[in-house]
Amino acid sequence: MKNILVLGAAGQIGSELVPYLRNIYGNHAVVAAYRSTPLPEAIMESGPCENMDALEAAKLHEIVKKHKIDSIINLVAVLSAKGEGNPPLAWKINMESQLNALEVMREVKGAVFTPSSIGAFGPTTPMDNTPQDTLMRPSTVYGISKVAAELLADYYHLKFGVDARGVRYPGIISNVTLPGGGTTDYAVEIYYEAIKSKSYTCNLGAGTFLDMMYMPDALRACVEIMEADPSKLIHRNCFNVTAMSFDPEMISAEIKKHIPEFRMEYKVDPIKQAIANSWPNSMDQTSAQQEWNWKPEYNLKSMTEDMLKVLAKKL
Ligand code: AKB
């Protein structure tokens, strides 16, 4: 990657990926694109930014030309729980942003990274050690759009030579920008509430196991897959990647080691619970390990230590 355009730069991943990429590739090589949510000041001040809608193809073409972009990181998405509230809008945003990114990179023979998700799997997928290549019949509009986006990316690679690559992210836990509208959001909120009020009401039930990853690993995964030797890639869109699998009881127990008075209650959200029940308990990431040497660094213990330390200062 040389000149990179990050679509959705104000979101949970984008707000941390832009500074991470600017550190590696140089401030002027990374353009942060945002629509309605303003960008953090540090991003506005440290490099180029564009206020645009990823669904407007003509504008996207103009910006790609203006900044001589060769790689797009497409983080625009309506997440799983929010998508269930407005399926046509979720489909439109998730699919049109992907199509536009692939089309514009077809013209310049560039690269596209689009994260897929554990949400691409469904209730008929094997739940434990979920294989890289398996049955995918998701039961959310988010999941359906993620499977379609994976297939479209592979199609643009095979048909037009677009260097499209991606990973299936698990729930991402972070401390800069809150996620919004996801099923795994509880695993972020719990840390904020542990610091603020020493208690948390969890919207997923005990025993709900899901794959998760701390943001530093998620950022590294994005760069490592994009910089991987293409001759070694058997898969492209998308690789299973994970760092840990836990349920609400486990994260609560880990927090209690640092804040003994922390208490957790349950008030299950039936929509989120149904979504979580349809997703894997834990994925197999052998393909990512073998094809581009993927290895996560954080586990539940080290992530919890860091999250609580950072949030205690921040809050
Ligand atoms: C969500 O919960 O919708 C996302 C995801 C796992 O894709 N965090």
Side-chain angles (χ1 to χ4, degrees), residues 79-81 117-119 142 169-172 181-185 279:
L79 297 185
S80 56
S117 157
I118 50 173
Y142 173 69
Y169 277 136
I172 306 290
T183 303
T184 58
D185 293 4
W279 289 355

Side-chain angles (χ1 to χ4, degrees), residues 10 22 24 45 50 61 74 116 134 141 178 187 216 233 243 263:
R22 283 181 177 166
I24 299 172
E45 283 166 7
E50 293 283 356
H61 277 73
N74 174 23
S116 185
T134 185
V141 70
L178 282 166
L233 299 181
R263 290 283 164 269

Side-chain angles (χ1 to χ4, degrees), residues 162-202:
V162 174
D163 192 357
R165 309 180 187 190
V167 295
R168 294 182 185 130
Y169 277 136
I172 306 290
I173 294 157
S174 65
N175 49 48
V176 174
T177 304
L178 282 166
T183 303
T184 58
D185 293 4
Y186 93 88
V188 181
E189 290 159 6
I190 192 171
Y191 288 110
Y192 279 74
E193 288 308 314
I195 297 288
K196 284 199 274 192
S197 58
K198 299 190 174 16
S199 68
Y200 181 63
T201 305
C202 189

Side-chain angles (χ1 to χ4, degrees), residues 7 54-55 74 76 92-101:
L7 302 175
L55 272 48
N74 174 23
V76 173
K92 185 176 165 68
I93 291 176
N94 296 1
M95 291 318 303
E96 282 182 23
S97 60
Q98 174 72 335
L99 185 62
N100 289 348

